[in-house]
Amino acid sequence: MWKRKAKVTDQTADGQGPAPEKKYKKKVGIKKKSKVPGVMITQYVEELPEGKSHPDFTRKPIALTIQEGKLAIFKAIVTGDPEPTVTWARNNGEVTDKEKYQSKFDPNSHEHTLEMPNVSSDQADTYKCYAKNEFGKAIVTVMLNVIEVGFKKKKAQQQVEPEVVSGMKPVLRKSKVKPKDQQERKDGELDPKFWEILLSADKKDYERICQEYGVTNFRWMLKKLNEMKKEREEEQAQFVKTIENLKPIKVNASGCASFELEMELLEASSRIFIYKDGEMVPFSLEVEDEVKHELKQVGKKYTFTIRDLLPDDAGLYQMDVEGVTVFSTDFKIPSVDFLVKIQEVKAMEREDAVFECVLSNPFSKINWFGKNAALEAGEKFDIEVSEDKLVHRLVVKDCMMVDKGIYAAVAGIKSCNAFLVVEADKDPALHGKKKARKTTKAGGSGLDLEKIAKEQQDKLQKDRAERIEAVKAAKEATVADGSGSGSAAPEPKSDADSGSGSGGGGDLTKKAADDGAAGHSKTVKDGSAVGLGSESQLGAPAMGHSKTVKDGSAVGLGSESQLGAPAMGHSKSVKDGSAVGLGSESQLGAPAMDEKVSLTQGLSDAYAIRGKPVEMALTLSSDKPEGTWYKDGEKLSSEAGKELKKDGAIHKLMIQSAKDDHSGQYAFETAGIKTEASLTVGDVPEFDPDDLHKFSKPVIVKVGQNGSFKMPFEPQENLEIKWFKDGVELNDGGGVKIQRELNHSRLLMKDCIRSDAGEIKIKLKNPFGEIEATSRLIVLDKPGPPEGPVEVVESTSTVIELQWKPPKDDGGSAVTNYIIERQQVGQPMWKKLGDVTADRLTFRDRNVIHGKNYIYRIYAENPEGIGEPLVTESTMAGTLVFPGPPCAPKVESAFKNCINLKWEPPLQDNGTQILGYQLEKRKKDTQQWIALNPVNEPIEGLKYAVKDVSEGSEYEFRVAAINVSGAGDPSPPSQVVAARNPKMRPQFHSPEDFMVIRAGNSLRIKMTYEAEPQPDITWLKDEEPISPWINILNVEGSSTLVIPSSQRSDSGIYTIIAKNSSGSANFDIEVRVTDEPKQPGPVALEQLVHGKVIITWEPSPDQEVDDRLHYMVAEHESNTRIWRTIADRLFCNTFTANVHSGREYHFRVYAKNDMGPSDPSNSPTWGVNSNKVAATTNAPVSVSLERPPSIMVPLKVHTPPKGYQCFMTCAVRGFPTPYVFWYLNDICINDNKNYYITNAHGICSMYILRVSATDGGVYKVVAINNFGTAECSTKVSVKD
């Protein structure tokens, strides 16, 4: 990946400089986005072949925090075509040890795992999972944290060598900032890093940077900085067109550190270099995770990233373009770790979740991340820090389902993470409704974090005190050597040229402060030591000493230059046996004392309340020397109200009543020793009485409204303003807004909830004292539920009396009344019973039913509304009263699969209503009774069919009555009954007595029956045994006759006979095997009467073999020109049709049977002039008896039962004697052999031997002679 040159001539490290495409023409690195957060994908080709894909993770490993000695497992599932190769690695070490690391693959689940059995603390690290194929790669990182067991000392952190890319050597440049091993500065010279940082810093950071490097002369600093900026801009203008949006280096959510800027180069080929502490850093221009440093360019935006952060990564980073620095940023990694890490939190929906941790060292602010996004304090999140800055908390407010995921805390380069699990509120009463905001909080570490933080703070103070004691002991040992007094060097002055403050160079001061306020000087060539100051940063007593130098002299070391805390110093022996004076309050330049006198305790800055006494004191190591007091450079003496006093080695300045003119800089000098301190006179903050009275009035708001407090005060310097709620300090953020102005302060609490109510206090503090003002915030809301449990005072068959306690939370206003609702168990509806006043905490429900169970809801109501209810347990009205036992059940009938029972109700119901019965069974010769129905599903009637029985088994049954109290005593058992069918003669079920089969088709006659025992089955045809080739299939309950291929000869009457010991039964089935009929013979037409045509035809050849064959006649006339049926169901070979003169007719005759009609036989044409009857002449009319037919007695309605006979008759007259035709549903049945028809002297009769369902319908009698037609009809209904 990296190309190495044989010789470095342009000070350019591999991966740096312009035109990366020249070095990486063959390598393509396209960054792709994965659907899984945290996965980095690099695609090697610009276009993927069809059906191919780069690797990706569908399931990535999850960070683990596991106890030492347990099994740690990372799991991952990858996709890609071709199948990717999966490998594992760790940042600090190898994973090749098979005993510690076991890489596995499951082909069924396609899961790759890395198992670490018996994990140890040295395996805690950042691990990486790589998935690669020929088209790209995917990388994901995961943390493993191991918790040590027992009292083990932490192992020393392994020294990690800086990562150097293969073939690369650090390259140095010509810069003002040089590597640490080459840093040499003269006395008073500032670290060049100071100016480089200032050149790229925002103006708001100038004061912090100057304080860090010990620069106090701001005017000189700004003047020199402007000059350097002008020079730097002239240098940058040669290569850079614009540069803006400089963002200093910081750690982001992915655990990497990066800085960025927007820069437009004049020449795209200009070379870019990155330096750390003056040493060139190799970096990659590609998207490669294996490389520690990466410089990414998107348009004008440049982003430099550092991965796998280590403590050695701290330092000053600079970006150069062709040797000109364009940006500098200082990366600091604090020495901090997590004593208590954040833990997994399970919170209910709309509840607050709390993550909290404890740090090893004070840290003002750590970074919080949620689902890889940085979190800030606001309406959704609260970020809290304790006063000692050791305990840090993140509060996720009003948790919703979208808030679940991984949350992380990052302090420096250390991090810890945990899951937030949000569980849905499954309360059925809230289904489909908006859920209310909960006031509870979930989570927390479960430990006493304040105690842990206090122990850690005590430990830090103890370590610091031990270092101070060690320095004091070294000083006392030096004094005991008796090396004499030393001479103090001249006091250095802070001027515009040096820019240094008291106590030496800014960088050395900073280092001394970082070393725990213990400073010393290093030996230099000329034998002098640079004075080291402390206490300017940490505020602790400073300690200093000097090392031996060649000429035996040392520059005075001291402190107290900033805060005035006492300093301690000593000198070591030198070659000539003399020592330079050490450890004084800027006593440089004073003459040496004859006696060894030192300052035991110097002056300290003091604040005095106006009108109150004040005292300033110091202590020398000897009580002999006198001294002189100065104020603002003027000598002081005792006067009225001011006294200078010496008490042994203690020198005091006492002021009886402090005034404004007493403020100033005080100094004491004696024997070459000088100590200074300031005195400031002022007043304790005060409130105006009217403002205080107004503030003390409580603020009353409703839930969801904002609560506001304002407190005016007189403007003062160094005034510290704090707000408290119930003794806990409030910080600006989330729902709390604090406004601090010159003459007032305002507190705003947004969207108040009930938990926001409490005591509100403002505290003003200055160096002279503090003052407090107290008010109260009252948040009005609906009251909480009454306090339970509910006590049942009385429960009888007619009344239930309840008693409860007032709610713990009345919502900020008094409860006015209570509302009571009731629900009967098993019923869905709630009924309001009424309400009672707030002073009554009991309720009597008189509308109850004995034995019923009830549930009550009790609501508290105040002016803000009705609160949540208190729900009682199920309460019964009265006591349990059970009914008496019924009589023993009786068996009505028994079958193999069912036993029918009946019983009588109990003689005694004990005054309660019987709701039903519970039935139990028991097999004979067993003792276990089995319930056939549960108590809550009673049998409502007095009969029951037991179907859960086994054929042939014998059973006993008993029954118990059920009322609201439950099931009573069971009845005596019934008689033993067997589950088998009773003896029964055979009976056939709904048989069909007529079947028509087309010749050639299979004939299947299935007969079902009931009989006990199983009968013998016999089949007959036409009262003769059936042929042996006919198949008979007998099974229980049915018998089937099968003829595979039927013929006309198979027609006949089939009889089935079933016979057992209880009797016999038979049934006849008429079967007709037929086929489509052949057409009739020739058709002839004849007219004997005007308007009538007699149609005759030769019979069909099938008429002799098919007794159900009949004929149909169709007509076609010239007027309508359509064929219409004029007669059907004719069992004769003639038909008389009506015709009209002047029309032409055609007739067709069809033969029909059960299979359908045949082909037609066509008649000759009956035309206008053909076959006409000759016209008659007018002749004398003779008397004649001829008359048309008439119906004398019509047919009657008949409703014969099925299988019975039916006889119908009517009377007809006419002359000549009319022809009589019988019709069933308009089909002629004169020739149908199923009907016996007679006509004797006008009495027409029809007889049906055995009526079937097909005989029902409309019967019609038609009488026809030459003079007319008469008819009558009736309806026959066949009953089943």
Side-chain angles (χ1 to χ4, degrees):
M1 179 178 66
W2 294 92
K3 296 184 178 181
R4 180 176 180 180
K5 294 183 179 180
K7 185 178 181 181
V8 178
T9 57
D10 57 354
Q11 297 185 359
T12 303
D14 286 353
Q16 299 200 30
E21 65 275 3
K22 294 183 181 180
K23 292 186 178 184
Y24 305 101
K25 285 183 179 179
K26 298 181 181 180
K27 188 77 170 181
V28 177
I30 303 175
K31 190 172 184 179
K32 294 291 184 178
K33 186 177 181 180
S34 173
K35 294 182 179 180
V36 179
V39 177
M40 301 183 66
I41 300 176
T42 304
Q43 183 174 306
Y44 292 155
V45 295
E46 294 182 356
E47 294 184 3
L48 289 171
E50 185 176 358
K52 303 298 182 180
S53 63
H54 56 67
D56 195 1
F57 284 82
T58 59
R59 175 181 173 183
K60 70 175 185 178
I62 300 177
L64 293 177
T65 299
I66 194 169
Q67 184 176 334
E68 187 177 17
K70 301 293 184 180
L71 173 63
I73 302 178
F74 288 132
K75 299 180 180 180
I77 300 178
V78 300
T79 60
D81 190 5
E83 184 175 354
T85 301
V86 177
T87 57
W88 299 84
R90 59 178 289 188
N91 279 359
N92 304 316
E94 301 291 338
V95 294
T96 56
D97 190 345
K98 298 298 182 181
E99 294 183 357
K100 290 186 176 182
Y101 304 97
Q102 300 173 7
S103 179
K104 299 180 181 179
F105 173 68
D106 186 351
N108 296 324
S109 61
H110 300 283
E111 197 172 59
H112 296 267
T113 59
L114 178 64
E115 298 183 1
M116 289 168 274
N118 195 22
V119 67
S120 58
S121 58
D122 59 354
Q123 291 178 271
D125 201 351
T126 300
Y127 289 78
K128 292 184 179 181
C129 183
Y130 299 85
K132 298 182 180 180
N133 64 10
E134 57 185 290
F135 299 109
K137 66 179 179 180
I139 305 173
V140 66
T141 61
V142 61
M143 290 291 297
L144 173 63
N145 298 316
V146 180
I147 302 174
E148 294 182 349
V149 180
F151 300 94
K152 295 185 177 181
K153 294 184 178 180
K154 295 185 178 179
K155 298 181 180 180
Q157 296 183 348
Q158 298 179 356
Q159 299 294 329
V160 181
E161 295 296 331
E163 182 179 356
V164 180
V165 181
S166 177
M168 294 300 304
K169 293 183 178 180
V171 181
L172 303 182
R173 62 162 182 166
K174 297 178 180 179
S175 171
K176 295 180 180 179
V177 179
K178 296 183 179 181
K180 296 179 180 179
D181 55 354
Q182 299 180 15
Q183 291 180 358
E184 294 183 3
R185 295 196 307 275
K186 298 179 180 179
D187 296 345
E189 182 181 356
L190 282 176
D191 191 340
K193 291 171 59 176
F194 169 74
W195 299 110
E196 292 295 336
I197 296 173
L198 277 181
L199 286 171
S200 300
D202 290 336
K203 291 183 178 180
K204 61 182 180 64
D205 296 327
Y206 285 176
E207 183 177 356
R208 175 184 59 80
I209 297 172
C210 290
Q211 183 180 3
E212 181 179 342
Y213 284 88
V215 176
T216 57
N217 193 333
F218 293 99
R219 184 176 298 176
W220 164 80
M221 180 274 294
L222 292 175
K223 179 180 178 182
K224 186 170 182 180
L225 180 62
N226 290 333
E227 295 175 355
M228 297 180 68
K229 277 189 175 181
K230 186 176 181 181
E231 295 176 1
R232 181 63 58 84
E233 289 172 357
E234 291 176 355
E235 295 176 354
Q236 293 175 352
Q238 302 177 18
F239 308 103
V240 180
K241 186 176 181 181
T242 59
I243 180 170
E244 56 188 357
N245 294 333
L246 307 176
K247 295 183 180 180
I249 192 167
K250 63 179 181 179
V251 179
N252 51 36
S254 62
C256 303
S258 62
F259 66 82
E260 60 184 47
L261 70 158
E262 294 182 9
M263 179 174 60
E264 185 177 357
L265 301 177
L266 293 175
E267 296 291 339
S269 59
S270 297
R271 296 174 299 174
I272 298 177
F273 306 92
I274 301 295
Y275 294 89
K276 172 182 172 291
D277 293 332
E279 184 175 322
M280 185 176 291
V281 177
F283 59 84
S284 171
L285 294 173
E286 295 182 352
V287 185
E288 294 287 344
D289 272 352
E290 291 88 344
V291 180
K292 185 176 182 65
H293 304 97
E294 173 197 349
L295 179 63
K296 179 182 178 182
Q297 178 186 0
V298 179
K300 296 190 300 182
K301 183 177 179 181
Y302 292 81
T303 303
F304 179 73
T305 304
I306 309 171
R307 296 187 177 88
D308 303 333
L309 296 175
L310 297 172
D312 291 342
D313 292 324
L316 178 68
Y317 287 84
Q318 295 175 275
M319 176 183 285
D320 285 15
V321 177
E322 294 292 350
V324 176
T325 303
V326 296
F327 183 54
S328 300
T329 178
D330 193 15
F331 183 32
K332 297 180 180 179
I333 299 179
S335 176
V336 65
D337 202 350
F338 289 91
L339 295 180
V340 177
K341 299 182 179 180
I342 61 176
Q343 304 295 325
E344 178 179 304
V345 177
K346 291 184 179 180
M348 295 295 294
E349 196 173 3
R350 302 221 67 183
E351 189 178 25
D352 292 352
V354 179
F355 293 96
E356 52 189 8
C357 59
V358 180
L359 304 181
S360 60
N361 288 301
F363 209 63
S364 59
K365 181 181 179 182
I366 67 174
N367 297 323
W368 291 94
F369 296 93
K371 295 184 286 188
N372 293 329
L375 305 180
E376 297 293 340
E379 294 184 358
K380 186 62 182 177
F381 303 99
D382 278 345
I383 297 177
E384 303 173 357
V385 184
S386 62
E387 291 186 2
D388 55 17
K389 299 182 181 180
L390 292 177
V391 181
H392 294 253
R393 291 184 180 89
L394 170 68
V395 181
V396 184
K397 296 184 287 187
D398 194 8
C399 290
M400 308 298 288
M401 297 303 294
V402 296
D403 295 326
K404 62 183 179 181
I406 298 178
Y407 287 75
V410 179
I413 61 174
K414 300 293 184 178
S415 65
C416 59
N417 54 61
F419 273 98
L420 170 59
V421 180
V422 181
E423 298 178 348
D425 193 343
K426 299 180 180 179
D427 187 353
L430 300 177
H431 182 68
K433 301 180 181 178
K434 183 177 180 182
K435 299 176 179 62
R437 170 81 182 275
K438 294 180 174 61
T439 59
T440 56
K441 292 184 179 181
S445 63
L447 304 175
D448 189 351
L449 300 188
E450 303 298 335
K451 180 179 179 181
I452 297 175
K454 183 66 170 59
E455 293 175 353
Q456 181 66 14
Q457 189 177 22
D458 294 342
K459 179 181 177 182
L460 294 175
Q461 292 179 353
K462 181 179 179 182
D463 293 343
R464 182 174 174 181
E466 289 177 354
R467 291 196 299 269
I468 294 175
E469 291 297 330
V471 173
K472 285 184 177 180
K475 174 187 174 182
E476 292 173 357
T478 305
V479 172
D481 291 341
S483 57
S485 61
S487 60
E491 178 181 346
K493 297 182 181 180
S494 174
D495 54 21
D497 295 331
S498 65
S500 60
S502 300
D507 57 331
L508 297 179
T509 305
K510 175 176 179 296
K511 185 175 187 307
D514 292 340
D515 290 338
H520 61 86
S521 66
K522 294 184 178 180
T523 305
V524 293
K525 294 181 180 179
D526 57 1
S528 63
V530 179
L532 304 184
S534 62
E535 197 62 44
S536 59
Q537 299 294 329
L538 302 179
M543 296 157 284
H545 64 276
S546 68
K547 292 185 178 180
T548 304
V549 295
K550 294 181 179 180
D551 57 1
S553 63
V555 179
L557 308 181
S559 62
E560 201 60 49
S561 58
Q562 297 291 334
L563 301 182
M568 295 166 285
H570 66 276
S571 65
K572 291 187 178 180
S573 301
V574 293
K575 293 181 179 180
D576 56 2
S578 63
V580 181
L582 306 177
S584 63
E585 292 284 323
S586 301
Q587 72 267 31
L588 303 179
M593 298 176 59
D594 295 337
E595 296 183 5
K596 184 176 71 173
V597 178
S598 63
L599 186 66
T600 303
Q601 181 177 354
L603 294 176
S604 300
D605 291 342
Y607 294 90
I609 300 177
R610 189 176 288 108
K612 300 292 183 179
V614 62
E615 178 181 294
M616 301 182 73
L618 67 130
T619 304
L620 299 178
S621 60
S622 173
D623 58 354
K624 295 181 179 180
E626 300 290 337
T628 306
W629 288 89
Y630 297 90
K631 176 181 179 294
D632 297 331
E634 298 181 0
K635 185 176 180 180
L636 296 178
S637 60
S638 297
E639 57 185 27
K642 183 187 301 180
E643 180 182 0
L644 304 180
K645 185 178 180 182
K646 177 178 180 296
D647 186 5
I650 300 175
H651 297 257
K652 295 182 180 180
L653 167 63
M654 295 182 293
I655 302 174
Q656 301 298 327
S657 179
K659 299 179 181 179
D660 291 339
D661 56 0
H662 290 149
S663 298
Q665 188 72 19
Y666 288 80
F668 178 85
E669 293 184 4
T670 182
I673 299 176
K674 181 179 180 181
T675 179
E676 294 181 340
S678 63
L679 174 63
T680 306
V681 179
D683 288 324
V684 177
E686 292 183 355
F687 292 126
D688 183 86
D690 294 337
D691 294 335
L692 184 61
H693 177 72
K694 183 178 180 181
F695 180 81
S696 63
K697 295 181 179 180
V699 175
I700 303 175
V701 297
K702 294 184 178 180
V703 167
Q705 296 180 345
N706 298 336
S708 178
F709 296 85
K710 180 180 178 182
M711 189 65 192
F713 47 78
E714 292 295 330
Q716 296 184 19
E717 294 182 358
N718 301 323
L719 186 62
E720 182 180 355
I721 305 171
K722 291 185 179 181
W723 288 87
F724 298 86
K725 175 188 169 293
D726 294 332
V728 179
E729 184 179 356
L730 297 176
N731 296 314
D732 198 359
V736 178
K737 179 69 176 178
I738 298 176
Q739 182 181 1
R740 297 177 175 88
E741 299 295 341
L742 187 63
N743 59 350
H744 73 275
S745 179
R746 185 187 301 271
L747 170 65
L748 177 64
M749 302 186 72
K750 301 180 181 177
D751 301 329
C752 292
I753 59 177
R754 280 290 299 156
S755 60
D756 292 331
E759 183 186 69
I760 302 298
K761 181 169 63 178
I762 183 174
K763 180 186 291 186
L764 302 184
K765 182 179 180 181
N766 65 7
F768 308 101
E770 62 182 32
I771 189 173
E772 298 177 354
T774 303
S775 182
R776 179 165 291 276
L777 175 63
I778 300 175
V779 182
L780 301 180
D781 193 8
K782 301 174 184 177
E787 187 175 357
V790 174
E791 180 183 355
V792 180
V793 179
E794 181 181 1
S795 176
T796 66
S797 60
T798 58
V799 65
I800 295 178
E801 183 176 0
L802 306 175
Q803 185 176 6
W804 60 90
K805 298 178 182 178
K808 291 183 177 179
D809 182 9
D810 61 1
S813 57
V815 175
T816 58
N817 60 293
Y818 296 94
I819 300 173
I820 295 89
E821 293 181 349
R822 185 188 74 186
Q823 180 193 52
Q824 183 178 331
V825 174
Q827 301 294 329
M829 300 298 294
W830 286 89
K831 179 182 178 182
K832 181 179 178 181
L833 300 179
D835 52 10
V836 297
T837 58
D839 56 345
R840 289 185 57 191
L841 299 176
T842 61
F843 182 82
R844 292 176 65 86
D845 183 8
R846 301 180 183 275
N847 187 19
V848 295
I849 300 174
H850 181 243
K852 295 289 185 182
N853 289 289
Y854 299 95
I855 299 175
Y856 293 88
R857 291 196 303 210
I858 305 172
Y859 299 84
E861 184 178 10
N862 67 3
E864 300 303 317
I866 301 174
E868 294 295 322
L870 169 64
V871 182
T872 68
E873 299 291 338
S874 175
T875 304
M876 175 180 288
T879 58
L880 296 177
V881 177
F882 298 98
C887 298
K890 296 181 180 180
V891 179
E892 285 191 321
S893 59
F895 302 93
K896 64 180 181 180
N897 56 1
C898 179
I899 298 176
N900 295 310
L901 303 172
K902 70 175 183 179
W903 56 87
E904 297 296 331
L907 299 178
Q908 296 181 352
D909 57 9
N910 294 328
T912 61
Q913 180 184 358
I914 302 298
L915 301 178
Y917 300 89
Q918 183 182 39
L919 188 63
E920 296 178 324
K921 70 176 181 179
R922 179 177 68 178
K923 278 189 176 183
K924 185 180 178 182
D925 299 330
T926 63
Q927 299 299 323
Q928 182 180 8
W929 287 94
I930 300 175
L932 298 177
N933 65 296
V935 176
N936 57 357
E937 297 178 6
I939 301 171
E940 296 181 357
L942 298 174
K943 293 183 178 181
Y944 191 75
V946 181
K947 297 182 179 180
D948 186 16
V949 293
S950 301
E951 182 179 0
S953 299
E954 295 182 332
Y955 294 93
E956 291 178 300
F957 299 93
R958 69 181 184 183
V959 64
I962 300 174
N963 64 4
V964 292
S965 298
D969 295 333
S971 68
S974 67
Q975 296 181 351
V976 178
V977 58
R980 62 170 62 95
N981 293 332
K983 291 184 178 182
M984 179 176 52
R985 65 184 295 271
Q987 294 181 356
F988 294 101
H989 294 300
S990 303
E992 294 185 3
D993 59 358
F994 182 76
M995 296 179 64
V996 178
I997 302 297
R998 183 188 295 273
N1001 290 353
S1002 64
L1003 170 62
R1004 183 179 294 270
I1005 305 173
K1006 183 177 182 180
M1007 298 296 296
T1008 59
Y1009 58 85
E1010 285 187 4
E1012 184 68 27
Q1014 187 71 15
D1016 296 328
I1017 303 298
T1018 304
W1019 285 88
L1020 302 176
K1021 178 191 176 190
D1022 297 332
E1023 298 182 357
E1024 296 291 337
I1026 61 174
S1027 301
W1029 54 269
I1030 297 177
N1031 298 325
I1032 303 297
L1033 303 177
N1034 291 324
V1035 295
E1036 183 179 357
S1038 68
S1039 179
T1040 305
L1041 181 145
V1042 179
I1043 301 176
S1045 180
S1046 61
Q1047 301 175 3
R1048 286 180 181 270
S1049 59
D1050 294 326
S1051 299
I1053 296 177
Y1054 290 82
T1055 302
I1056 180 173
I1057 302 172
K1059 184 178 181 181
N1060 64 5
S1061 59
S1062 299
S1064 64
N1066 61 355
F1067 190 80
D1068 295 338
I1069 305 100
E1070 183 180 355
V1071 177
R1072 289 188 179 272
V1073 180
T1074 182
D1075 206 344
E1076 292 181 359
K1078 298 178 182 178
Q1079 69 183 75
V1083 179
L1085 303 176
E1086 182 182 3
Q1087 185 177 23
L1088 300 177
V1089 180
H1090 181 72
K1092 302 290 183 180
V1093 174
I1094 300 174
I1095 307 170
T1096 59
W1097 59 88
E1098 294 295 328
S1100 170
D1102 293 334
Q1103 183 172 328
E1104 297 296 329
V1105 297
D1106 192 348
D1107 58 356
R1108 294 179 66 85
L1109 183 74
H1110 57 276
Y1111 298 96
M1112 181 182 70
V1113 180
E1115 176 190 78
H1116 178 280
E1117 63 167 313
S1118 58
N1119 278 7
T1120 60
R1121 296 184 180 184
I1122 61 173
W1123 291 94
R1124 68 184 183 89
T1125 301
I1126 59 175
D1128 198 359
R1129 303 287 293 180
L1130 298 175
F1131 289 89
C1132 56
N1133 299 103
T1134 181
F1135 180 76
T1136 302
N1138 298 324
V1139 294
H1140 298 277
S1141 300
R1143 299 182 186 178
E1144 185 177 86
Y1145 292 88
H1146 296 83
F1147 299 95
R1148 288 177 177 174
V1149 180
Y1150 297 84
K1152 292 180 66 179
N1153 64 6
D1154 295 313
M1155 294 294 103
S1158 68
D1159 294 334
S1161 294
N1162 295 318
S1163 70
T1165 301
W1166 182 264
V1168 178
N1169 300 315
S1170 303
N1171 302 324
K1172 277 191 170 184
V1173 177
T1176 58
T1177 61
N1178 293 329
V1181 178
S1182 59
V1183 177
S1184 174
L1185 297 177
E1186 296 176 342
R1187 64 181 63 186
S1190 62
I1191 304 298
M1192 301 302 293
V1193 179
L1195 296 171
K1196 295 181 180 179
V1197 177
H1198 295 270
T1199 56
K1202 185 177 180 181
Y1204 285 72
Q1205 63 182 3
C1206 180
F1207 182 81
M1208 290 183 285
T1209 182
C1210 66
V1212 179
R1213 78 174 181 174
F1215 190 84
T1217 302
Y1219 293 93
V1220 178
F1221 297 90
W1222 286 80
Y1223 292 85
L1224 172 58
N1225 296 329
D1226 295 330
I1227 299 174
C1228 183
I1229 59 175
N1230 282 27
D1231 294 333
N1232 193 330
K1233 295 179 180 180
N1234 290 329
Y1235 304 95
Y1236 181 71
I1237 300 173
T1238 61
N1239 186 358
H1241 306 289
I1243 303 301
C1244 302
S1245 302
M1246 185 191 69
Y1247 178 74
I1248 303 175
L1249 180 62
R1250 188 169 62 184
V1251 177
S1252 65
T1254 58
D1255 293 327
V1258 177
Y1259 286 82
K1260 184 171 61 175
V1261 174
V1262 180
I1264 302 175
N1265 66 8
N1266 294 336
F1267 296 98
T1269 303
E1271 64 180 37
C1272 69
S1273 63
T1274 186
K1275 184 176 182 181
V1276 176
S1277 299
V1278 180
K1279 297 191 298 182
D1280 292 331

